[in-house]
């Protein structure tokens, strides 16, 4: 029996972070969490590139363009969607989630989901490092583990 599991090491991984400026105070906390995690797992600073976009709606097209370059092992998406403030919340959340999933399959590259979808500002704050963990850390960790797993599959 063979068991495959991606290691939690960022050494040599080239990572892009696409972060949305809408609700930036919260997304900044996701970015801090993601960068701290990447440093903890020995990712080289020069291998991390950050792309700021206006809002979460613009994340998928940016990821598509980034992945055309074939320069990255994974993309980490960070953003904050708040239902109360967003008339088309359901549409944007569904569009972004589905597009990210489709792009991940199209390029066979992990694109991880560090986008908070919250009912209220308070809920969003809790998911950016207060009571309910930090979605930026989760997305960075998943990007590292999945990059290493997919590299192992390529070698078998
Ligand atoms: C317009 C808008 C609204 C109302 N709410 C949010 C939000 O909660 N989170 C977010 O990331 N972006 C929001 N946006 C901006 C859209 O994502 C997009 O940037 C604009 O509609 C321009 O295309």
């Amino acid at each position: 029996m063979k068991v495959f599991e991606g290691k939690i090491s960022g050494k040599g991984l080239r990572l892009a972070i696409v972060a949305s400026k809408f609700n930036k105070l919260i997304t900044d906390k996701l970015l801090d969490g993601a960068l701290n995690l990447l440093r903890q797992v020995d990712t080289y600073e020069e291998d991390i590139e950050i792309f700021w976009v206006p809002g979460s709606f613009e994340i998928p097209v940016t990821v598509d363009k980034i992945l055309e370059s074939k320069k990255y092992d994974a993309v980490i998406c960070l953003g904050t969607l708040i239902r109360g403030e967003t008339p088309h919340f359901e549409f944007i959340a569904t569009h972004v989630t589905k597009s990210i999933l489709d792009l991940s399959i199209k390029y066979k590259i992990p694109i991880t989901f560090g986008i908070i979808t919250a009912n209220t500002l308070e809920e969003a704050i809790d998911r950016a490092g207060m009571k309910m963990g930090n979605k930026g850390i989760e997305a960075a960790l998943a990007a590292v583990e999945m990059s290493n797993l997919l590299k192992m599959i390529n070698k078998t």
Side-chain angles (χ1 to χ4, degrees):
M1 183 170 68
K2 278 187 178 178
V3 178
F4 298 93
E5 190 173 350
K7 62 181 189 305
I8 310 297
S9 165
K11 253 183 209 160
L13 295 180
R14 295 152 311 160
L15 301 172
I17 298 177
V18 180
S20 149
K21 284 187 276 189
F22 210 94
N23 296 313
K24 188 169 183 296
L25 284 181
I26 298 175
T27 305
D28 277 340
K29 302 255 178 272
L30 302 180
L31 181 60
D32 287 347
L35 290 174
N36 281 337
L37 183 285
L38 294 178
R39 287 180 191 122
Q40 274 171 32
V41 301
D42 304 322
T43 315
Y44 302 125
E45 202 79 18
E46 64 270 24
D47 286 340
I48 304 170
E49 294 183 1
I50 301 170
F51 300 84
W52 282 105
V53 297
S56 296
F57 193 72
E58 283 74 35
I59 290 176
V61 68
T62 312
V63 172
D64 198 350
K65 194 74 194 162
I66 282 171
L67 288 179
E68 271 179 13
S69 72
K70 300 193 190 306
K71 268 174 53 186
Y72 302 96
D73 295 302
V75 184
I76 299 161
C77 301
L78 304 177
T80 310
L81 276 161
I82 302 177
R83 185 189 298 273
E85 298 171 0
T86 313
H88 308 302
F89 175 88
E90 300 291 350
F91 172 74
I92 297 184
T94 308
H95 158 81
V96 174
T97 311
K98 170 86 169 61
S99 301
I100 287 176
L101 195 59
D102 289 349
L103 287 168
S104 195
I105 290 163
K106 174 178 163 191
Y107 288 99
K108 298 184 180 60
I109 293 281
I111 307 170
T112 60
F113 194 80
I115 302 173
I116 292 173
T117 51
N119 289 310
T120 60
L121 180 63
E122 195 185 14
E123 249 184 52
I125 292 169
D126 286 346
R127 289 173 196 175
M130 300 301 282
K131 290 186 200 149
M132 304 279 289
N134 180 309
K135 272 196 90 63
I137 298 177
E138 282 171 28
L141 187 59
V144 168
E145 183 174 344
M146 282 303 297
S147 299
N148 288 321
L149 178 67
L150 296 194
K151 279 176 190 280
M152 286 165 84
I153 295 171
N154 284 344
K155 284 182 194 148
T156 58

